[in-house]
Amino acid sequence: MRHNRIRNALLASALTAAAALAAAPASAESSAYDGLWNVTVVTKSGSCEPTVSSTLTVTDGKVSAGGAAVSGKVGREGLVRVSINGAYANGQLSGKTGSGKWNGSSAGVPCSGRWEASRQ
């Protein structure tokens, strides 16, 4: 009898927790920046391409791009930290625009510059 009450109490607690999780919005803080972003990278020093543009996708705060080794995230305050094909970028998104700095290398020669983004 006592085991049934303990089991029922645990089951009720688990169901209550599951209902609360289901009702909570998923990644509410990060979702403000979800979507497609046009990004232009400008080299200021080094032998990397002078200017490169591409489209990145932010989903639940995670950054991705088709055909590129991208990992990174956008925090709830718009702080960006990304690694793309061995280059590293950080910066800030705000509303429908963003900017920051990056660094990497081309054929072993260091490169760096800035990037700008706009939401599609």
Side-chain angles (χ1 to χ4, degrees), residues 25-41:
S27 299
E29 295 90 9
S30 296
S31 65
Y33 301 101
D34 285 0
L36 297 176
W37 290 82
N38 291 320
V39 180
T40 300
V41 175

PDB file of all heavy atoms in Angstrom, residues 25-41:
ATOM      1  N   PRO A  25       7.763  27.865 -23.656  1.00  0.00           N
ATOM      2  CA  PRO A  25       8.220  28.137 -25.020  1.00  0.00           C
ATOM      3  C   PRO A  25       9.648  27.653 -25.220  1.00  0.00           C
ATOM      4  O   PRO A  25      10.492  27.850 -24.360  1.00  0.00           O
ATOM      5  CB  PRO A  25       8.133  29.661 -25.138  1.00  0.00           C
ATOM      6  CG  PRO A  25       8.125  30.167 -23.734  1.00  0.00           C
ATOM      7  CD  PRO A  25       7.560  29.069 -22.879  1.00  0.00           C
ATOM      8  N   ALA A  26       9.919  27.021 -26.356  1.00  0.00           N
ATOM      9  CA  ALA A  26      11.251  26.494 -26.649  1.00  0.00           C
ATOM     10  C   ALA A  26      12.183  27.628 -27.024  1.00  0.00           C
ATOM     11  O   ALA A  26      11.918  28.381 -27.950  1.00  0.00           O
ATOM     12  CB  ALA A  26      11.168  25.474 -27.784  1.00  0.00           C
ATOM     13  N   SER A  27      13.278  27.777 -26.313  1.00  0.00           N
ATOM     14  CA  SER A  27      14.317  28.757 -26.598  1.00  0.00           C
ATOM     15  C   SER A  27      13.752  30.150 -26.868  1.00  0.00           C
ATOM     16  O   SER A  27      14.081  30.781 -27.863  1.00  0.00           O
ATOM     17  CB  SER A  27      15.157  28.298 -27.797  1.00  0.00           C
ATOM     18  OG  SER A  27      15.774  27.082 -27.529  1.00  0.00           O
ATOM     19  N   ALA A  28      12.891  30.603 -26.000  1.00  0.00           N
ATOM     20  CA  ALA A  28      12.242  31.898 -26.217  1.00  0.00           C
ATOM     21  C   ALA A  28      13.257  33.017 -26.370  1.00  0.00           C
ATOM     22  O   ALA A  28      13.070  33.929 -27.173  1.00  0.00           O
ATOM     23  CB  ALA A  28      11.294  32.204 -25.064  1.00  0.00           C
ATOM     24  N   GLU A  29      14.357  32.975 -25.626  1.00  0.00           N
ATOM     25  CA  GLU A  29      15.346  34.043 -25.700  1.00  0.00           C
ATOM     26  C   GLU A  29      16.059  34.063 -27.048  1.00  0.00           C
ATOM     27  O   GLU A  29      16.311  35.111 -27.595  1.00  0.00           O
ATOM     28  CB  GLU A  29      16.383  33.896 -24.582  1.00  0.00           C
ATOM     29  CG  GLU A  29      15.839  34.068 -23.192  1.00  0.00           C
ATOM     30  CD  GLU A  29      15.371  32.756 -22.584  1.00  0.00           C
ATOM     31  OE1 GLU A  29      15.630  31.710 -23.167  1.00  0.00           O
ATOM     32  OE2 GLU A  29      14.736  32.792 -21.529  1.00  0.00           O
ATOM     33  N   SER A  30      16.409  32.909 -27.568  1.00  0.00           N
ATOM     34  CA  SER A  30      17.185  32.841 -28.798  1.00  0.00           C
ATOM     35  C   SER A  30      16.327  33.033 -30.041  1.00  0.00           C
ATOM     36  O   SER A  30      16.826  33.427 -31.071  1.00  0.00           O
ATOM     37  CB  SER A  30      17.904  31.497 -28.891  1.00  0.00           C
ATOM     38  OG  SER A  30      18.835  31.369 -27.848  1.00  0.00           O
ATOM     39  N   SER A  31      15.041  32.753 -29.952  1.00  0.00           N
ATOM     40  CA  SER A  31      14.200  32.762 -31.143  1.00  0.00           C
ATOM     41  C   SER A  31      14.086  34.139 -31.784  1.00  0.00           C
ATOM     42  O   SER A  31      13.721  34.245 -32.938  1.00  0.00           O
ATOM     43  CB  SER A  31      12.814  32.205 -30.815  1.00  0.00           C
ATOM     44  OG  SER A  31      12.159  33.056 -29.896  1.00  0.00           O
ATOM     45  N   ALA A  32      14.414  35.208 -31.076  1.00  0.00           N
ATOM     46  CA  ALA A  32      14.335  36.545 -31.656  1.00  0.00           C
ATOM     47  C   ALA A  32      15.283  36.697 -32.846  1.00  0.00           C
ATOM     48  O   ALA A  32      15.070  37.553 -33.696  1.00  0.00           O
ATOM     49  CB  ALA A  32      14.660  37.596 -30.598  1.00  0.00           C
ATOM     50  N   TYR A  33      16.318  35.877 -32.926  1.00  0.00           N
ATOM     51  CA  TYR A  33      17.305  35.979 -33.998  1.00  0.00           C
ATOM     52  C   TYR A  33      17.220  34.827 -34.992  1.00  0.00           C
ATOM     53  O   TYR A  33      18.029  34.750 -35.912  1.00  0.00           O
ATOM     54  CB  TYR A  33      18.716  36.079 -33.413  1.00  0.00           C
ATOM     55  CG  TYR A  33      18.833  37.280 -32.505  1.00  0.00           C
ATOM     56  CD1 TYR A  33      18.775  37.138 -31.126  1.00  0.00           C
ATOM     57  CD2 TYR A  33      18.933  38.560 -33.033  1.00  0.00           C
ATOM     58  CE1 TYR A  33      18.846  38.239 -30.290  1.00  0.00           C
ATOM     59  CE2 TYR A  33      19.004  39.663 -32.213  1.00  0.00           C
ATOM     60  CZ  TYR A  33      18.956  39.503 -30.839  1.00  0.00           C
ATOM     61  OH  TYR A  33      19.006  40.594 -30.023  1.00  0.00           O
ATOM     62  N   ASP A  34      16.255  33.936 -34.823  1.00  0.00           N
ATOM     63  CA  ASP A  34      16.103  32.823 -35.746  1.00  0.00           C
ATOM     64  C   ASP A  34      15.712  33.314 -37.132  1.00  0.00           C
ATOM     65  O   ASP A  34      14.972  34.289 -37.275  1.00  0.00           O
ATOM     66  CB  ASP A  34      15.034  31.852 -35.242  1.00  0.00           C
ATOM     67  CG  ASP A  34      15.512  31.000 -34.082  1.00  0.00           C
ATOM     68  OD1 ASP A  34      16.670  31.154 -33.656  1.00  0.00           O
ATOM     69  OD2 ASP A  34      14.713  30.183 -33.596  1.00  0.00           O
ATOM     70  N   GLY A  35      16.242  32.652 -38.153  1.00  0.00           N
ATOM     71  CA  GLY A  35      15.910  32.985 -39.534  1.00  0.00           C
ATOM     72  C   GLY A  35      17.147  32.997 -40.406  1.00  0.00           C
ATOM     73  O   GLY A  35      18.219  32.541 -40.009  1.00  0.00           O
ATOM     74  N   LEU A  36      16.998  33.510 -41.611  1.00  0.00           N
ATOM     75  CA  LEU A  36      18.090  33.585 -42.576  1.00  0.00           C
ATOM     76  C   LEU A  36      18.777  34.937 -42.465  1.00  0.00           C
ATOM     77  O   LEU A  36      18.116  35.980 -42.371  1.00  0.00           O
ATOM     78  CB  LEU A  36      17.562  33.399 -43.999  1.00  0.00           C
ATOM     79  CG  LEU A  36      16.928  32.042 -44.303  1.00  0.00           C
ATOM     80  CD1 LEU A  36      16.366  32.044 -45.726  1.00  0.00           C
ATOM     81  CD2 LEU A  36      17.930  30.929 -44.125  1.00  0.00           C
ATOM     82  N   TRP A  37      20.096  34.910 -42.500  1.00  0.00           N
ATOM     83  CA  TRP A  37      20.909  36.125 -42.393  1.00  0.00           C
ATOM     84  C   TRP A  37      21.881  36.185 -43.556  1.00  0.00           C
ATOM     85  O   TRP A  37      22.587  35.215 -43.836  1.00  0.00           O
ATOM     86  CB  TRP A  37      21.684  36.127 -41.079  1.00  0.00           C
ATOM     87  CG  TRP A  37      20.818  36.313 -39.887  1.00  0.00           C
ATOM     88  CD1 TRP A  37      20.094  35.362 -39.229  1.00  0.00           C
ATOM     89  CD2 TRP A  37      20.569  37.535 -39.205  1.00  0.00           C
ATOM     90  NE1 TRP A  37      19.408  35.910 -38.185  1.00  0.00           N
ATOM     91  CE2 TRP A  37      19.682  37.256 -38.140  1.00  0.00           C
ATOM     92  CE3 TRP A  37      21.005  38.845 -39.388  1.00  0.00           C
ATOM     93  CZ2 TRP A  37      19.228  38.240 -37.266  1.00  0.00           C
ATOM     94  CZ3 TRP A  37      20.557  39.827 -38.516  1.00  0.00           C
ATOM     95  CH2 TRP A  37      19.681  39.519 -37.469  1.00  0.00           C
ATOM     96  N   ASN A  38      21.930  37.323 -44.258  1.00  0.00           N
ATOM     97  CA  ASN A  38      22.942  37.575 -45.285  1.00  0.00           C
ATOM     98  C   ASN A  38      24.165  38.133 -44.570  1.00  0.00           C
ATOM     99  O   ASN A  38      24.065  39.143 -43.877  1.00  0.00           O
ATOM    100  CB  ASN A  38      22.447  38.602 -46.304  1.00  0.00           C
ATOM    101  CG  ASN A  38      21.332  38.063 -47.152  1.00  0.00           C
ATOM    102  OD1 ASN A  38      21.348  36.918 -47.565  1.00  0.00           O
ATOM    103  ND2 ASN A  38      20.336  38.900 -47.408  1.00  0.00           N
ATOM    104  N   VAL A  39      25.297  37.468 -44.746  1.00  0.00           N
ATOM    105  CA  VAL A  39      26.524  37.872 -44.060  1.00  0.00           C
ATOM    106  C   VAL A  39      27.583  38.224 -45.092  1.00  0.00           C
ATOM    107  O   VAL A  39      27.834  37.458 -46.027  1.00  0.00           O
ATOM    108  CB  VAL A  39      27.039  36.742 -43.132  1.00  0.00           C
ATOM    109  CG1 VAL A  39      28.315  37.170 -42.435  1.00  0.00           C
ATOM    110  CG2 VAL A  39      25.966  36.356 -42.125  1.00  0.00           C
ATOM    111  N   THR A  40      28.212  39.375 -44.916  1.00  0.00           N
ATOM    112  CA  THR A  40      29.320  39.801 -45.771  1.00  0.00           C
ATOM    113  C   THR A  40      30.562  39.908 -44.902  1.00  0.00           C
ATOM    114  O   THR A  40      30.562  40.596 -43.879  1.00  0.00           O
ATOM    115  CB  THR A  40      29.024  41.157 -46.433  1.00  0.00           C
ATOM    116  OG1 THR A  40      27.841  41.026 -47.222  1.00  0.00           O
ATOM    117  CG2 THR A  40      30.183  41.586 -47.322  1.00  0.00           C
ATOM    118  N   VAL A  41      31.612  39.204 -45.325  1.00  0.00           N
ATOM    119  CA  VAL A  41      32.885  39.180 -44.604  1.00  0.00           C
ATOM    120  C   VAL A  41      33.887  39.996 -45.406  1.00  0.00           C
ATOM    121  O   VAL A  41      34.063  39.777 -46.608  1.00  0.00           O
ATOM    122  CB  VAL A  41      33.376  37.723 -44.446  1.00  0.00           C
ATOM    123  CG1 VAL A  41      34.739  37.684 -43.804  1.00  0.00           C
ATOM    124  CG2 VAL A  41      32.365  36.909 -43.654  1.00  0.00           C
TER     125      VAL A  41
END
